[in-house]
Amino acid sequence: MKTDKALYLFELKLNMSAQAAMKQIDLKDYASKFALSGLPIVKVGINFDPERRTIGDWKVDGGSRLGGGCKNFISSVDWK
């Protein structure tokens, strides 16, 4: 997802872990495809828990030039 301040790379997993999602983003080198965008790249790994039918865990990495923009984005999402 691209905004005017950052490019967000999401990887979603089911019944695994947010860390597994982050590992796939890195192993497949998704960020390199967007390197020329000039925007900070924020990686977001999300794991869905099928038993609870909600997000089990999530991890965010990157976007240090955003000045809180990444936290604001994550906080604004209705995770229910």
Side-chain angles (χ1 to χ4, degrees):
M1 179 173 74
K2 182 180 174 186
T3 70
D4 59 338
K5 295 184 181 182
L7 193 133
Y8 295 87
L9 299 177
F10 289 87
E11 180 62 34
L12 309 174
K13 295 293 183 189
L14 177 64
N15 206 26
M16 293 179 75
S17 70
Q19 186 57 41
M22 296 298 276
K23 186 175 180 179
Q24 181 171 334
I25 292 171
D26 291 335
L27 285 175
K28 300 238 178 183
D29 198 21
Y30 295 150
S32 68
K33 297 174 185 174
F34 304 100
L36 296 178
S37 72
L39 293 170
I41 295 176
V42 180
K43 299 181 285 184
V44 182
I46 300 172
N47 177 57
F48 290 99
D49 182 331
E51 290 181 19
R52 295 186 301 155
R53 296 182 175 187
T54 189
I55 292 175
D57 63 320
W58 52 277
K59 184 173 180 174
V60 179
D61 183 31
S64 59
R65 297 185 321 188
L66 292 175
C70 179
K71 288 181 184 176
N72 294 337
F73 169 77
I74 295 298
S75 316
S76 70
V77 173
D78 181 5
W79 295 103
K80 296 179 183 175

